[in-house]
Amino acid sequence: MGVTTDRKARSWWARVVSAACVGGLAGLLLVLPTVQAIAMPSRVILLRHGEKAGPYELCKVGQRRAQALAEQYLGKDATQALFRSEEKPAAILTITPHTDETASPIALTWPMIVRGYSVVQGHGLKDWYSAFGPRTRQAVQDMGDLPEWEGKTIVVIWDNTRIVQEKHPRYRTDDISVTLYNLLGLDALEGVPDEWADENYNYFWIIDFDPKTGKPVKFEMKKQEFTGKYADLPQNDWGKPSGLKKKSGCALGRGSLKAKP
């Protein structure tokens, strides 16, 4: 019985080696069991940065929004926490100075380090926005590669021009399809908007992923509804004006955000 089993084992290994020799590595992979390479988080909480004053900093409204996000939704002991019971974010991802400033009050409450995919303004708008693509792609690659995020919740604070495809001609670049919407396969889910209006700083996109396939399986869009001392923050509906005036010190639309010449 033992001799027969040993012969079978040697015979099986001979077939494996033969397949590898004939078909190279591809042949070997056909014989050996498939290894799961995807290590996606179970949930991504996606949001845009707070209201901005210029290319690098938030206005006072945006700064208050960042603090409100920490106290009410995303910080430790938040009053309306978006995390599951006894859960903390496995990571907080950012891409620009605006997103860094938004993330800071949140990260300080845990405390934890923010993982930045830094992009700062270049010599012109197209150069600046072109740099967003490679960094967005890298962030999504890390989502599928890093085992410490697998099965956990991460917070992604991003620029709206790389959450969904940019439609404004002034900001279009050759690789404009490199967005979180496309890279994460959000087109497979119902109800996911294909545009993020410049007026909206006040929504979460909550995306759940299948742990086996890494594909998105559930989407929820949640409005930021602040109470108490933050109740005066803009809470406009999706695609509707924020109501902010020039005296707020915030950039009002694309034309008011000055770029380097």
Side-chain angles (χ1 to χ4, degrees):
M1 186 71 173
V3 174
T4 302
T5 303
D6 187 53
R7 285 176 179 170
K8 286 182 178 180
R10 289 200 300 271
S11 176
W12 175 86
W13 181 245
R15 290 197 299 273
V16 171
V17 173
S18 176
C21 292
V22 175
L25 182 59
L28 180 59
L29 291 176
L30 287 174
V31 177
L32 294 177
T34 301
V35 177
Q36 175 60 267
I38 297 174
M40 285 295 290
S42 63
R43 173 170 290 179
V44 170
I45 299 174
L46 175 61
L47 64 152
R48 189 185 176 194
H49 55 76
E51 291 85 342
K52 58 203 176 203
Y56 297 107
E57 68 283 341
L58 301 180
C59 62
K60 289 184 179 179
V61 174
Q63 292 169 359
R64 292 183 65 238
R65 182 177 297 279
Q67 191 62 45
L69 285 167
E71 293 182 19
Q72 190 164 321
Y73 286 111
L74 298 174
K76 187 176 182 180
D77 301 322
T79 57
Q80 293 176 251
L82 295 184
F83 304 112
R84 303 177 181 96
S85 178
E86 304 300 321
E87 182 185 42
K88 65 174 290 185
I92 301 174
L93 279 53
T94 62
I95 189 171
T96 62
H98 295 137
T99 59
D100 289 339
E101 193 173 355
T102 304
S104 182
I106 300 166
L108 283 170
T109 67
W110 290 103
M112 62 188 298
I113 295 172
V114 173
R115 188 181 181 95
Y117 296 81
S118 302
V119 174
V120 295
Q121 187 170 346
H123 296 294
L125 284 173
K126 292 232 172 174
D127 290 338
W128 189 21
Y129 280 81
S130 292
F132 286 20
R135 299 301 268 160
T136 299
R137 191 185 297 278
Q138 184 180 357
V140 173
Q141 181 176 335
D142 286 348
M143 289 182 203
D145 288 347
L146 298 181
E148 59 265 36
W149 298 353
E150 184 176 5
K152 298 179 181 178
T153 296
I154 66 172
V155 175
V156 179
I157 307 176
W158 225 243
D159 190 277
N160 63 325
T161 61
R162 288 297 175 160
I163 294 177
V164 291
Q165 186 165 329
E166 176 59 54
K167 298 181 183 297
H168 196 294
R170 188 183 182 194
Y171 295 81
R172 294 182 67 85
T173 59
D174 294 339
D175 68 341
I176 201 64
S177 63
V178 181
T179 62
L180 294 175
Y181 179 93
N182 290 335
L183 294 173
L184 293 174
L186 300 186
D187 59 323
L189 302 179
E190 292 185 7
V192 184
D194 63 357
E195 186 173 3
W196 193 301
D198 202 51
E199 291 273 4
N200 283 117
Y201 296 89
N202 59 319
Y203 275 83
F204 300 106
W205 285 10
I206 303 172
I207 308 129
D208 290 342
F209 293 85
D210 186 313
K212 294 182 179 179
T213 66
K215 294 181 179 180
V217 293
K218 183 181 178 182
F219 170 79
E220 177 187 1
M221 187 163 73
K222 181 178 178 62
K223 189 176 182 181
Q224 298 171 15
E225 296 180 316
F226 296 111
T227 58
K229 61 183 177 181
Y230 299 115
D232 61 324
L233 288 171
Q235 302 186 42
N236 44 310
D237 291 336
W238 188 255
K240 301 297 182 182
S242 66
L244 285 174
K245 305 299 182 184
K246 189 174 181 178
K247 65 181 181 180
S248 68
C250 302
L252 305 178
R254 298 295 178 83
S256 60
L257 183 59
K258 303 300 181 183
K260 289 183 179 180

